[in-house]
Amino acid sequence: MNSTITVLPMFGEDIEQETASEPPPARLGMVAAAARLVAYRDTQFEDGEPRALLVVDCPFCDSQHVHSAGLDSAPRVCPRHSRCIGRPTGTYFFPVVQRAE
């Protein structure tokens, strides 16, 4: 029977040497982002009331992030802020929210 044995360094000496040369991530700060409300029907809720999603155009990763906004009749929109999933050092907020038609 052949077996492969891997010897791992104690106390992570090799890992520390690799990460020491990497610079710490840059802080991106807080930036305003465009956001809009999108209404939808969620079949999980028996009340049948339309729900709302907050769709944000992320200024850091050029993607759209989706957040729950509660009921469409009374959405929770502002003041809110969130971190970018792709660039976690960047935080965005949405000062104005448009309603999607």
Side-chain angles (χ1 to χ4, degrees):
M1 174 186 338
N2 291 340
S3 99
T4 304
I5 297 174
T6 304
V7 178
L8 298 174
M10 291 183 72
F11 308 111
E13 290 101 356
D14 290 345
I15 294 171
E16 288 175 10
Q17 291 173 356
E18 290 174 4
T19 58
S21 64
E22 295 175 14
R27 290 245 176 251
L28 298 175
M30 187 175 283
V31 177
R36 63 197 162 284
L37 279 174
V38 178
Y40 74 103
R41 293 220 180 264
D42 192 339
T43 58
Q44 285 186 317
F45 296 96
E46 295 178 10
D47 59 10
E49 284 195 60
R51 307 284 177 200
L53 294 174
L54 193 57
V55 181
V56 180
D57 297 325
C58 182
F60 300 110
C61 69
D62 297 325
S63 295
Q64 293 180 333
H65 299 288
V66 179
H67 303 273
S68 174
L71 292 174
D72 187 46
S73 59
R76 297 181 320 273
V77 291
C78 293
R80 290 176 71 176
H81 68 277
S82 186
R83 291 185 187 272
C84 173
I85 295 169
R87 306 276 305 270
T89 58
T91 303
Y92 58 86
F93 67 98
F94 4 104
V96 178
V97 177
Q98 305 293 325
R99 182 165 294 273
E101 297 297 325

